[in-house]
Amino acid sequence: FIPLSLYVSVEMITVMMMMLVGWDLHMYHAESDTPATARSTIVTDLGLVEYIFSDKTGTLTCNVMEFKRCSVDGHAFGLPMEKAEPPPLNTIHEEKSSD
């Protein structure tokens, strides 16, 4: 049994936390004149984040799966892929000797 007053108190705290996110000056983006906006009530989970994965530019990676090719029962589907040829051996030898 959970008292109704406890449920109301937790909901009020969640709403206050959402308002505090919007008021936080460190979460304001000056270039686009955009404050942070809490769009859901899961602000209580923000303290549980341990890892944020990003690429070398610091932005989150967009994982897009694109169909390239597949073979089913000997029938190839998809566009042909161009294969790169390795450089001739004499070119590699000349590059090493010029260093």
Side-chain angles (χ1 to χ4, degrees), residues 3-34:
L4 183 62
S5 61
L6 178 62
Y7 179 75
V8 171
S9 298
V10 169
E11 288 299 314
M12 288 177 55
I13 290 170
T14 302
V15 170
M16 279 301 299
M17 289 175 66
M18 291 172 66
M19 292 170 47
L20 288 172
V21 166
W23 294 338
D24 191 351
L25 295 178
H26 289 87
M27 296 177 74
Y28 175 76
H29 190 253
E31 294 175 11
S32 64
D33 191 31
T34 309

PDB file of all heavy atoms in Angstrom, residues 3-34:
ATOM      1  N   PRO A   3       0.743   5.377   0.209  1.00  0.00           N
ATOM      2  CA  PRO A   3      -0.164   6.492   0.528  1.00  0.00           C
ATOM      3  C   PRO A   3      -0.258   7.476  -0.641  1.00  0.00           C
ATOM      4  O   PRO A   3       0.716   7.722  -1.366  1.00  0.00           O
ATOM      5  CB  PRO A   3       0.461   7.155   1.747  1.00  0.00           C
ATOM      6  CG  PRO A   3       1.625   6.336   2.137  1.00  0.00           C
ATOM      7  CD  PRO A   3       1.877   5.321   1.092  1.00  0.00           C
ATOM      8  N   LEU A   4      -1.424   8.024  -0.826  1.00  0.00           N
ATOM      9  CA  LEU A   4      -1.663   8.976  -1.902  1.00  0.00           C
ATOM     10  C   LEU A   4      -0.779  10.205  -1.754  1.00  0.00           C
ATOM     11  O   LEU A   4      -0.283  10.762  -2.742  1.00  0.00           O
ATOM     12  CB  LEU A   4      -3.140   9.368  -1.922  1.00  0.00           C
ATOM     13  CG  LEU A   4      -3.564  10.309  -3.039  1.00  0.00           C
ATOM     14  CD1 LEU A   4      -3.326   9.659  -4.392  1.00  0.00           C
ATOM     15  CD2 LEU A   4      -5.006  10.697  -2.877  1.00  0.00           C
ATOM     16  N   SER A   5      -0.529  10.638  -0.546  1.00  0.00           N
ATOM     17  CA  SER A   5       0.307  11.817  -0.318  1.00  0.00           C
ATOM     18  C   SER A   5       1.739  11.586  -0.802  1.00  0.00           C
ATOM     19  O   SER A   5       2.382  12.502  -1.326  1.00  0.00           O
ATOM     20  CB  SER A   5       0.307  12.199   1.160  1.00  0.00           C
ATOM     21  OG  SER A   5       0.830  11.130   1.935  1.00  0.00           O
ATOM     22  N   LEU A   6       2.249  10.358  -0.681  1.00  0.00           N
ATOM     23  CA  LEU A   6       3.589  10.046  -1.175  1.00  0.00           C
ATOM     24  C   LEU A   6       3.625  10.116  -2.698  1.00  0.00           C
ATOM     25  O   LEU A   6       4.563  10.670  -3.275  1.00  0.00           O
ATOM     26  CB  LEU A   6       4.020   8.665  -0.694  1.00  0.00           C
ATOM     27  CG  LEU A   6       5.389   8.183  -1.174  1.00  0.00           C
ATOM     28  CD1 LEU A   6       6.484   9.110  -0.658  1.00  0.00           C
ATOM     29  CD2 LEU A   6       5.635   6.759  -0.727  1.00  0.00           C
ATOM     30  N   TYR A   7       2.609   9.569  -3.345  1.00  0.00           N
ATOM     31  CA  TYR A   7       2.540   9.610  -4.813  1.00  0.00           C
ATOM     32  C   TYR A   7       2.486  11.058  -5.299  1.00  0.00           C
ATOM     33  O   TYR A   7       3.197  11.438  -6.234  1.00  0.00           O
ATOM     34  CB  TYR A   7       1.318   8.834  -5.291  1.00  0.00           C
ATOM     35  CG  TYR A   7       1.156   8.845  -6.780  1.00  0.00           C
ATOM     36  CD1 TYR A   7       1.970   8.079  -7.598  1.00  0.00           C
ATOM     37  CD2 TYR A   7       0.195   9.636  -7.382  1.00  0.00           C
ATOM     38  CE1 TYR A   7       1.847   8.100  -8.967  1.00  0.00           C
ATOM     39  CE2 TYR A   7       0.048   9.663  -8.751  1.00  0.00           C
ATOM     40  CZ  TYR A   7       0.879   8.894  -9.547  1.00  0.00           C
ATOM     41  OH  TYR A   7       0.741   8.932 -10.899  1.00  0.00           O
ATOM     42  N   VAL A   8       1.662  11.890  -4.663  1.00  0.00           N
ATOM     43  CA  VAL A   8       1.547  13.300  -5.050  1.00  0.00           C
ATOM     44  C   VAL A   8       2.877  14.014  -4.830  1.00  0.00           C
ATOM     45  O   VAL A   8       3.318  14.818  -5.658  1.00  0.00           O
ATOM     46  CB  VAL A   8       0.398  13.979  -4.274  1.00  0.00           C
ATOM     47  CG1 VAL A   8       0.399  15.486  -4.486  1.00  0.00           C
ATOM     48  CG2 VAL A   8      -0.938  13.382  -4.693  1.00  0.00           C
ATOM     49  N   SER A   9       3.545  13.728  -3.720  1.00  0.00           N
ATOM     50  CA  SER A   9       4.836  14.363  -3.433  1.00  0.00           C
ATOM     51  C   SER A   9       5.880  14.008  -4.488  1.00  0.00           C
ATOM     52  O   SER A   9       6.624  14.876  -4.954  1.00  0.00           O
ATOM     53  CB  SER A   9       5.337  13.942  -2.054  1.00  0.00           C
ATOM     54  OG  SER A   9       4.455  14.360  -1.059  1.00  0.00           O
ATOM     55  N   VAL A  10       5.939  12.746  -4.887  1.00  0.00           N
ATOM     56  CA  VAL A  10       6.910  12.314  -5.899  1.00  0.00           C
ATOM     57  C   VAL A  10       6.620  12.983  -7.242  1.00  0.00           C
ATOM     58  O   VAL A  10       7.527  13.433  -7.946  1.00  0.00           O
ATOM     59  CB  VAL A  10       6.911  10.773  -6.025  1.00  0.00           C
ATOM     60  CG1 VAL A  10       7.690  10.321  -7.240  1.00  0.00           C
ATOM     61  CG2 VAL A  10       7.460  10.140  -4.774  1.00  0.00           C
ATOM     62  N   GLU A  11       5.351  13.098  -7.611  1.00  0.00           N
ATOM     63  CA  GLU A  11       4.983  13.754  -8.864  1.00  0.00           C
ATOM     64  C   GLU A  11       5.335  15.244  -8.827  1.00  0.00           C
ATOM     65  O   GLU A  11       5.797  15.803  -9.825  1.00  0.00           O
ATOM     66  CB  GLU A  11       3.492  13.568  -9.162  1.00  0.00           C
ATOM     67  CG  GLU A  11       3.135  12.163  -9.570  1.00  0.00           C
ATOM     68  CD  GLU A  11       3.855  11.729 -10.841  1.00  0.00           C
ATOM     69  OE1 GLU A  11       3.886  12.504 -11.814  1.00  0.00           O
ATOM     70  OE2 GLU A  11       4.407  10.615 -10.849  1.00  0.00           O
ATOM     71  N   MET A  12       5.132  15.898  -7.687  1.00  0.00           N
ATOM     72  CA  MET A  12       5.479  17.323  -7.564  1.00  0.00           C
ATOM     73  C   MET A  12       6.989  17.518  -7.668  1.00  0.00           C
ATOM     74  O   MET A  12       7.455  18.474  -8.296  1.00  0.00           O
ATOM     75  CB  MET A  12       4.940  17.876  -6.242  1.00  0.00           C
ATOM     76  CG  MET A  12       3.432  18.025  -6.245  1.00  0.00           C
ATOM     77  SD  MET A  12       2.760  18.601  -4.670  1.00  0.00           S
ATOM     78  CE  MET A  12       3.654  20.078  -4.367  1.00  0.00           C
ATOM     79  N   ILE A  13       7.750  16.631  -7.078  1.00  0.00           N
ATOM     80  CA  ILE A  13       9.210  16.713  -7.167  1.00  0.00           C
ATOM     81  C   ILE A  13       9.662  16.517  -8.611  1.00  0.00           C
ATOM     82  O   ILE A  13      10.558  17.221  -9.097  1.00  0.00           O
ATOM     83  CB  ILE A  13       9.863  15.683  -6.225  1.00  0.00           C
ATOM     84  CG1 ILE A  13       9.646  16.091  -4.771  1.00  0.00           C
ATOM     85  CG2 ILE A  13      11.343  15.521  -6.529  1.00  0.00           C
ATOM     86  CD1 ILE A  13      10.038  15.039  -3.769  1.00  0.00           C
ATOM     87  N   THR A  14       9.030  15.586  -9.323  1.00  0.00           N
ATOM     88  CA  THR A  14       9.382  15.348 -10.725  1.00  0.00           C
ATOM     89  C   THR A  14       9.109  16.588 -11.569  1.00  0.00           C
ATOM     90  O   THR A  14       9.922  16.979 -12.400  1.00  0.00           O
ATOM     91  CB  THR A  14       8.595  14.138 -11.272  1.00  0.00           C
ATOM     92  OG1 THR A  14       8.891  12.997 -10.477  1.00  0.00           O
ATOM     93  CG2 THR A  14       8.967  13.866 -12.712  1.00  0.00           C
ATOM     94  N   VAL A  15       7.967  17.237 -11.354  1.00  0.00           N
ATOM     95  CA  VAL A  15       7.635  18.458 -12.092  1.00  0.00           C
ATOM     96  C   VAL A  15       8.642  19.555 -11.766  1.00  0.00           C
ATOM     97  O   VAL A  15       9.096  20.286 -12.660  1.00  0.00           O
ATOM     98  CB  VAL A  15       6.188  18.900 -11.782  1.00  0.00           C
ATOM     99  CG1 VAL A  15       5.910  20.292 -12.334  1.00  0.00           C
ATOM    100  CG2 VAL A  15       5.198  17.893 -12.353  1.00  0.00           C
ATOM    101  N   MET A  16       9.030  19.680 -10.517  1.00  0.00           N
ATOM    102  CA  MET A  16      10.029  20.690 -10.141  1.00  0.00           C
ATOM    103  C   MET A  16      11.381  20.407 -10.800  1.00  0.00           C
ATOM    104  O   MET A  16      12.060  21.325 -11.248  1.00  0.00           O
ATOM    105  CB  MET A  16      10.189  20.748  -8.616  1.00  0.00           C
ATOM    106  CG  MET A  16       9.122  21.552  -7.915  1.00  0.00           C
ATOM    107  SD  MET A  16       9.040  23.262  -8.473  1.00  0.00           S
ATOM    108  CE  MET A  16      10.637  23.879  -8.064  1.00  0.00           C
ATOM    109  N   MET A  17      11.758  19.142 -10.856  1.00  0.00           N
ATOM    110  CA  MET A  17      13.019  18.797 -11.512  1.00  0.00           C
ATOM    111  C   MET A  17      12.966  19.145 -13.002  1.00  0.00           C
ATOM    112  O   MET A  17      13.946  19.614 -13.576  1.00  0.00           O
ATOM    113  CB  MET A  17      13.336  17.315 -11.313  1.00  0.00           C
ATOM    114  CG  MET A  17      13.733  16.964  -9.897  1.00  0.00           C
ATOM    115  SD  MET A  17      13.974  15.194  -9.641  1.00  0.00           S
ATOM    116  CE  MET A  17      15.384  14.867 -10.644  1.00  0.00           C
ATOM    117  N   MET A  18      11.821  18.930 -13.638  1.00  0.00           N
ATOM    118  CA  MET A  18      11.674  19.290 -15.047  1.00  0.00           C
ATOM    119  C   MET A  18      11.809  20.800 -15.230  1.00  0.00           C
ATOM    120  O   MET A  18      12.432  21.268 -16.189  1.00  0.00           O
ATOM    121  CB  MET A  18      10.322  18.809 -15.577  1.00  0.00           C
ATOM    122  CG  MET A  18      10.213  17.298 -15.673  1.00  0.00           C
ATOM    123  SD  MET A  18       8.557  16.716 -16.080  1.00  0.00           S
ATOM    124  CE  MET A  18       8.373  17.356 -17.726  1.00  0.00           C
ATOM    125  N   MET A  19      11.263  21.575 -14.319  1.00  0.00           N
ATOM    126  CA  MET A  19      11.377  23.031 -14.398  1.00  0.00           C
ATOM    127  C   MET A  19      12.825  23.460 -14.165  1.00  0.00           C
ATOM    128  O   MET A  19      13.319  24.378 -14.828  1.00  0.00           O
ATOM    129  CB  MET A  19      10.431  23.678 -13.393  1.00  0.00           C
ATOM    130  CG  MET A  19       8.968  23.475 -13.774  1.00  0.00           C
ATOM    131  SD  MET A  19       7.746  23.956 -12.538  1.00  0.00           S
ATOM    132  CE  MET A  19       8.259  25.536 -11.991  1.00  0.00           C
ATOM    133  N   LEU A  20      13.519  22.813 -13.240  1.00  0.00           N
ATOM    134  CA  LEU A  20      14.916  23.163 -12.970  1.00  0.00           C
ATOM    135  C   LEU A  20      15.817  22.901 -14.179  1.00  0.00           C
ATOM    136  O   LEU A  20      16.773  23.636 -14.416  1.00  0.00           O
ATOM    137  CB  LEU A  20      15.420  22.402 -11.746  1.00  0.00           C
ATOM    138  CG  LEU A  20      14.874  22.869 -10.404  1.00  0.00           C
ATOM    139  CD1 LEU A  20      15.298  21.917  -9.294  1.00  0.00           C
ATOM    140  CD2 LEU A  20      15.335  24.278 -10.113  1.00  0.00           C
ATOM    141  N   VAL A  21      15.516  21.851 -14.949  1.00  0.00           N
ATOM    142  CA  VAL A  21      16.285  21.588 -16.164  1.00  0.00           C
ATOM    143  C   VAL A  21      16.138  22.760 -17.128  1.00  0.00           C
ATOM    144  O   VAL A  21      17.101  23.226 -17.740  1.00  0.00           O
ATOM    145  CB  VAL A  21      15.836  20.264 -16.818  1.00  0.00           C
ATOM    146  CG1 VAL A  21      16.372  20.142 -18.230  1.00  0.00           C
ATOM    147  CG2 VAL A  21      16.278  19.084 -15.982  1.00  0.00           C
ATOM    148  N   GLY A  22      14.926  23.291 -17.273  1.00  0.00           N
ATOM    149  CA  GLY A  22      14.693  24.429 -18.156  1.00  0.00           C
ATOM    150  C   GLY A  22      15.334  25.712 -17.660  1.00  0.00           C
ATOM    151  O   GLY A  22      15.688  26.586 -18.448  1.00  0.00           O
ATOM    152  N   TRP A  23      15.481  25.854 -16.354  1.00  0.00           N
ATOM    153  CA  TRP A  23      16.059  27.070 -15.788  1.00  0.00           C
ATOM    154  C   TRP A  23      17.578  27.022 -15.688  1.00  0.00           C
ATOM    155  O   TRP A  23      18.211  28.046 -15.415  1.00  0.00           O
ATOM    156  CB  TRP A  23      15.505  27.310 -14.393  1.00  0.00           C
ATOM    157  CG  TRP A  23      14.039  27.616 -14.360  1.00  0.00           C
ATOM    158  CD1 TRP A  23      13.272  28.100 -15.376  1.00  0.00           C
ATOM    159  CD2 TRP A  23      13.165  27.445 -13.245  1.00  0.00           C
ATOM    160  NE1 TRP A  23      11.982  28.239 -14.974  1.00  0.00           N
ATOM    161  CE2 TRP A  23      11.877  27.841 -13.658  1.00  0.00           C
ATOM    162  CE3 TRP A  23      13.343  26.990 -11.959  1.00  0.00           C
ATOM    163  CZ2 TRP A  23      10.784  27.803 -12.816  1.00  0.00           C
ATOM    164  CZ3 TRP A  23      12.246  26.956 -11.117  1.00  0.00           C
ATOM    165  CH2 TRP A  23      10.983  27.352 -11.535  1.00  0.00           C
ATOM    166  N   ASP A  24      18.194  25.881 -15.878  1.00  0.00           N
ATOM    167  CA  ASP A  24      19.639  25.725 -15.703  1.00  0.00           C
ATOM    168  C   ASP A  24      20.389  26.487 -16.796  1.00  0.00           C
ATOM    169  O   ASP A  24      20.261  26.195 -17.979  1.00  0.00           O
ATOM    170  CB  ASP A  24      20.019  24.247 -15.751  1.00  0.00           C
ATOM    171  CG  ASP A  24      21.444  23.995 -15.304  1.00  0.00           C
ATOM    172  OD1 ASP A  24      22.200  24.973 -15.117  1.00  0.00           O
ATOM    173  OD2 ASP A  24      21.804  22.817 -15.153  1.00  0.00           O
ATOM    174  N   LEU A  25      21.191  27.471 -16.411  1.00  0.00           N
ATOM    175  CA  LEU A  25      21.929  28.294 -17.383  1.00  0.00           C
ATOM    176  C   LEU A  25      23.049  27.520 -18.059  1.00  0.00           C
ATOM    177  O   LEU A  25      23.464  27.863 -19.162  1.00  0.00           O
ATOM    178  CB  LEU A  25      22.498  29.534 -16.688  1.00  0.00           C
ATOM    179  CG  LEU A  25      21.450  30.517 -16.155  1.00  0.00           C
ATOM    180  CD1 LEU A  25      22.140  31.672 -15.446  1.00  0.00           C
ATOM    181  CD2 LEU A  25      20.569  31.023 -17.282  1.00  0.00           C
ATOM    182  N   HIS A  26      23.571  26.476 -17.422  1.00  0.00           N
ATOM    183  CA  HIS A  26      24.621  25.666 -18.034  1.00  0.00           C
ATOM    184  C   HIS A  26      24.073  24.771 -19.139  1.00  0.00           C
ATOM    185  O   HIS A  26      24.834  24.220 -19.924  1.00  0.00           O
ATOM    186  CB  HIS A  26      25.317  24.805 -16.976  1.00  0.00           C
ATOM    187  CG  HIS A  26      26.164  25.604 -16.047  1.00  0.00           C
ATOM    188  ND1 HIS A  26      25.653  26.189 -14.914  1.00  0.00           N
ATOM    189  CD2 HIS A  26      27.467  25.925 -16.094  1.00  0.00           C
ATOM    190  CE1 HIS A  26      26.620  26.837 -14.289  1.00  0.00           C
ATOM    191  NE2 HIS A  26      27.739  26.691 -14.981  1.00  0.00           N
ATOM    192  N   MET A  27      22.765  24.621 -19.216  1.00  0.00           N
ATOM    193  CA  MET A  27      22.144  23.783 -20.243  1.00  0.00           C
ATOM    194  C   MET A  27      21.481  24.653 -21.314  1.00  0.00           C
ATOM    195  O   MET A  27      20.560  24.236 -21.990  1.00  0.00           O
ATOM    196  CB  MET A  27      21.125  22.829 -19.612  1.00  0.00           C
ATOM    197  CG  MET A  27      21.774  21.846 -18.666  1.00  0.00           C
ATOM    198  SD  MET A  27      20.606  20.773 -17.845  1.00  0.00           S
ATOM    199  CE  MET A  27      20.160  19.683 -19.165  1.00  0.00           C
ATOM    200  N   TYR A  28      21.965  25.876 -21.486  1.00  0.00           N
ATOM    201  CA  TYR A  28      21.429  26.822 -22.461  1.00  0.00           C
ATOM    202  C   TYR A  28      22.381  26.909 -23.649  1.00  0.00           C
ATOM    203  O   TYR A  28      23.583  27.040 -23.478  1.00  0.00           O
ATOM    204  CB  TYR A  28      21.262  28.195 -21.805  1.00  0.00           C
ATOM    205  CG  TYR A  28      20.831  29.279 -22.753  1.00  0.00           C
ATOM    206  CD1 TYR A  28      19.519  29.352 -23.184  1.00  0.00           C
ATOM    207  CD2 TYR A  28      21.739  30.216 -23.215  1.00  0.00           C
ATOM    208  CE1 TYR A  28      19.118  30.347 -24.048  1.00  0.00           C
ATOM    209  CE2 TYR A  28      21.344  31.207 -24.085  1.00  0.00           C
ATOM    210  CZ  TYR A  28      20.035  31.274 -24.499  1.00  0.00           C
ATOM    211  OH  TYR A  28      19.641  32.248 -25.375  1.00  0.00           O
ATOM    212  N   HIS A  29      21.851  26.840 -24.875  1.00  0.00           N
ATOM    213  CA  HIS A  29      22.665  26.932 -26.084  1.00  0.00           C
ATOM    214  C   HIS A  29      22.492  28.334 -26.657  1.00  0.00           C
ATOM    215  O   HIS A  29      21.451  28.679 -27.230  1.00  0.00           O
ATOM    216  CB  HIS A  29      22.228  25.874 -27.099  1.00  0.00           C
ATOM    217  CG  HIS A  29      23.155  25.754 -28.252  1.00  0.00           C
ATOM    218  ND1 HIS A  29      22.845  26.222 -29.493  1.00  0.00           N
ATOM    219  CD2 HIS A  29      24.393  25.217 -28.337  1.00  0.00           C
ATOM    220  CE1 HIS A  29      23.840  25.977 -30.324  1.00  0.00           C
ATOM    221  NE2 HIS A  29      24.795  25.374 -29.632  1.00  0.00           N
ATOM    222  N   ALA A  30      23.532  29.181 -26.493  1.00  0.00           N
ATOM    223  CA  ALA A  30      23.433  30.589 -26.865  1.00  0.00           C
ATOM    224  C   ALA A  30      23.335  30.805 -28.375  1.00  0.00           C
ATOM    225  O   ALA A  30      22.657  31.723 -28.835  1.00  0.00           O
ATOM    226  CB  ALA A  30      24.635  31.347 -26.306  1.00  0.00           C
ATOM    227  N   GLU A  31      24.024  29.974 -29.175  1.00  0.00           N
ATOM    228  CA  GLU A  31      24.033  30.174 -30.629  1.00  0.00           C
ATOM    229  C   GLU A  31      22.643  30.040 -31.236  1.00  0.00           C
ATOM    230  O   GLU A  31      22.281  30.782 -32.141  1.00  0.00           O
ATOM    231  CB  GLU A  31      24.987  29.187 -31.289  1.00  0.00           C
ATOM    232  CG  GLU A  31      26.433  29.418 -30.930  1.00  0.00           C
ATOM    233  CD  GLU A  31      27.337  28.343 -31.496  1.00  0.00           C
ATOM    234  OE1 GLU A  31      26.880  27.553 -32.334  1.00  0.00           O
ATOM    235  OE2 GLU A  31      28.505  28.309 -31.082  1.00  0.00           O
ATOM    236  N   SER A  32      21.863  29.093 -30.740  1.00  0.00           N
ATOM    237  CA  SER A  32      20.515  28.911 -31.277  1.00  0.00           C
ATOM    238  C   SER A  32      19.445  29.495 -30.358  1.00  0.00           C
ATOM    239  O   SER A  32      18.265  29.371 -30.643  1.00  0.00           O
ATOM    240  CB  SER A  32      20.240  27.420 -31.511  1.00  0.00           C
ATOM    241  OG  SER A  32      20.268  26.727 -30.280  1.00  0.00           O
ATOM    242  N   ASP A  33      19.862  30.142 -29.263  1.00  0.00           N
ATOM    243  CA  ASP A  33      18.958  30.739 -28.286  1.00  0.00           C
ATOM    244  C   ASP A  33      17.933  29.714 -27.806  1.00  0.00           C
ATOM    245  O   ASP A  33      16.733  29.952 -27.803  1.00  0.00           O
ATOM    246  CB  ASP A  33      18.260  31.965 -28.896  1.00  0.00           C
ATOM    247  CG  ASP A  33      17.518  32.772 -27.848  1.00  0.00           C
ATOM    248  OD1 ASP A  33      17.970  32.788 -26.680  1.00  0.00           O
ATOM    249  OD2 ASP A  33      16.483  33.370 -28.180  1.00  0.00           O
ATOM    250  N   THR A  34      18.442  28.523 -27.424  1.00  0.00           N
ATOM    251  CA  THR A  34      17.576  27.420 -27.036  1.00  0.00           C
ATOM    252  C   THR A  34      17.902  26.950 -25.622  1.00  0.00           C
ATOM    253  O   THR A  34      19.019  26.516 -25.363  1.00  0.00           O
ATOM    254  CB  THR A  34      17.771  26.233 -28.006  1.00  0.00           C
ATOM    255  OG1 THR A  34      17.656  26.696 -29.334  1.00  0.00           O
ATOM    256  CG2 THR A  34      16.759  25.146 -27.740  1.00  0.00           C
TER     257      THR A  34
END
